[in-house]
Amino acid sequence: MPAVHGSPVDVPTADGTVDAYLAHPETPAPHPAVLLYMDAFGLRPHLKSMADRLAAAGYVVLVPNVFYRYGRAPVVELPEFIDPAERPEIIQSLGPAARTLTPEGAMRDAAAYLDWLAASPLTTDGPAGATGYCMGAGLALRTAGTHPDRVAAAAGFHGAYLATDAPDSPHLLADRITAELYFGHADQDATNPAEQIDRLDAALTAAGVRHHGEVYAGAHHGFTQADTAMYSEKATERHWAALLDLFARRL
């Protein structure tokens, strides 16, 4: 793996200061910017390793703690490995932190993240990429729809609640999106049933958005997260191939 530098950074927003992780190649030339949105378990060593791998492919990667309004990461104590028995209790404990993040607040934050990346001497001129996991897939989709002139490629993996009946569902921003999108859905995922996958695809198709969605057979919600029991090495490597192909073409 090419040499990568990773460090904690603080990013100012309209609502406070976000603690985040920044990874980038150690080569002096600037590289395209990527915003990596966390899953519900938050900014932790595994997500930092994912950012490092993406940085090694030639990107400047920012991973913000989107629950910063509640506290700095980790917002709750996490075990090194999250097994199914512990998962419900952890999810419940994260509820208060999750409730601090509204769609409106998240997109104010997204503007700050994109501004911060654009101002960095590490990044090239031009639009950024975004990728997200679990709840982060919805944030990536919202960011592409809210800041269409600033995002050229966005992806989501084992996304949750991407196309619901709610009036603020992320898929309703489809007609604003100019980025190319990719989604890797888990077929064992109660948070993203087949009807929502179909609704998302229909909305993006009707809006003329260039996109591709795939259902990963046998994959569970959270399949990219190696510090959980949901992890699938096969599905994760498929995710890396799709993500890097998208960014190579669009950034």
Side-chain angles (χ1 to χ4, degrees), residues 158 184-190 192-194 197 214-221 223:
H158 46 83
H185 305 292
D187 74 345
Q188 310 286 315
D189 193 345
N192 190 34
I197 295 173
E214 297 181 298
V215 177
Y216 291 19
H220 293 264
H221 180 76
F223 63 76

Side-chain angles (χ1 to χ4, degrees), residues 5-11 18-23 43 48 62 72 116:
H5 179 77
S7 61
V9 295
D10 284 342
V11 178
V18 181
D19 53 308
Y21 179 74
L22 182 72
L43 181 56
K48 293 176 182 179
L62 182 70
R72 296 178 74 88
W116 192 90

Side-chain angles (χ1 to χ4, degrees), residues 134-142 156-164 168-172 183-185 191-193 196-197 199-200:
C134 177
M135 57 169 277
L139 294 174
L141 179 57
R142 287 189 192 280
F157 298 92
H158 46 83
Y161 311 113
L162 298 176
T164 70
D168 59 358
S169 177
H171 80 288
L172 298 176
F183 294 96
H185 305 292
T191 71
N192 190 34
Q196 289 195 34
I197 295 173
R199 185 182 295 143
L200 174 63

Side-chain angles (χ1 to χ4, degrees), residues 38 50 78 83-84 112 166 210 213:
M38 63 188 228
M50 293 184 73
L78 295 171
D83 65 35
R210 185 177 179 183

Side-chain angles (χ1 to χ4, degrees), residues 2-5 24-32 55 58-60 120-125:
V4 166
H5 179 77
H24 60 87
E26 288 195 345
T27 54
H31 295 84
Y59 302 96
V60 177
S120 171
L122 298 170
T123 62
T124 55
D125 294 334

Side-chain angles (χ1 to χ4, degrees), residues 39-41 67 76 78 82 84 86-99 134 221:
D39 65 346
F41 295 127
F67 293 157
V76 300
L78 295 171
I82 300 168
E86 296 172 302
R87 189 181 185 96
E89 182 178 350
I90 295 171
I91 292 294
Q92 184 176 15
S93 69
L94 285 165
R99 287 191 286 274
C134 177
H221 180 76

Side-chain angles (χ1 to χ4, degrees), residues 25-124:
E26 288 195 345
T27 54
H31 295 84
V34 170
L35 183 55
L36 192 159
Y37 280 117
M38 63 188 228
D39 65 346
F41 295 127
L43 181 56
R44 60 196 193 281
H46 173 64
L47 283 188
K48 293 176 182 179
S49 71
M50 293 184 73
D52 289 347
R53 180 165 174 175
L54 192 50
Y59 302 96
V60 177
V61 186
L62 182 70
V63 191
N65 166 29
V66 303
F67 293 157
Y68 73 95
R69 292 174 181 84
Y70 187 81
R72 296 178 74 88
V75 296
V76 300
E77 186 175 349
L78 295 171
E80 290 185 9
F81 183 82
I82 300 168
D83 65 35
E86 296 172 302
R87 189 181 185 96
E89 182 178 350
I90 295 171
I91 292 294
Q92 184 176 15
S93 69
L94 285 165
R99 287 191 286 274
T100 66
L101 185 68
T102 65
E104 296 78 15
M107 291 305 97
R108 286 196 302 274
D109 296 343
Y113 305 148
L114 293 169
D115 285 346
W116 192 90
L117 283 166
S120 171
L122 298 170
T123 62
T124 55

